[in-house]
Amino acid sequence: MAVNKILVVEDDPVQQQRLRDILKSTGAQILAGSNGQEGVTLAENESPDLIFMDIVMPGMDGFSACRQITNNAKTKGIPVIIVSSKHQEADKVWAQLQGASAVIAKPYTDQEILDQVIRYS
């Protein structure tokens, strides 16, 4: 399966732009949301192949959004990669309990992000 559409859910404009810049090299269409609710809505409406999700965001956080996406029949097949500064072991376990496919710690390298795209291609 090719990764043709990637959703980035990140409230920090600088971090969001950095992820978009890294992912641009994949040739995929990049969609972006700035909070958990936007992420859930975009996942349902756009059916991306992969989602990169921040945790700490206003309103619905990334854990809640991840749980909604992975429990929804329409979106449950989409891998959700949590990208966060919260990367204690407990946070990783909690992320996986919410249905996350992987957790990447901030600060991350370009290659760590691209490796996830390769992994799900």
Side-chain angles (χ1 to χ4, degrees), residues 29-82:
Q29 178 188 353
I30 312 299
L31 308 166
S34 52
N35 60 53
Q37 188 55 60
E38 281 182 21
V40 170
T41 302
L42 283 164
E44 284 181 9
N45 295 342
E46 299 286 342
S47 301
D49 300 305
L50 189 59
I51 299 172
F52 287 92
M53 176 86 66
D54 184 28
I55 295 176
V56 182
M57 295 182 284
M60 183 190 298
D61 71 5
F63 285 141
S64 300
C66 180
R67 190 167 56 244
Q68 284 196 25
I69 290 166
T70 57
N71 286 331
N72 179 329
K74 190 175 174 190
T75 54
K76 69 180 181 193
I78 306 168
V80 179
I81 313 301
I82 296 286

Side-chain angles (χ1 to χ4, degrees), residues 104-118:
I104 295 177
K106 292 177 183 173
Y108 48 80
T109 64
D110 292 14
Q111 196 57 52
E112 284 176 292
I113 298 297
L114 294 172
D115 283 348
Q116 293 299 323
V117 178
I118 293 163

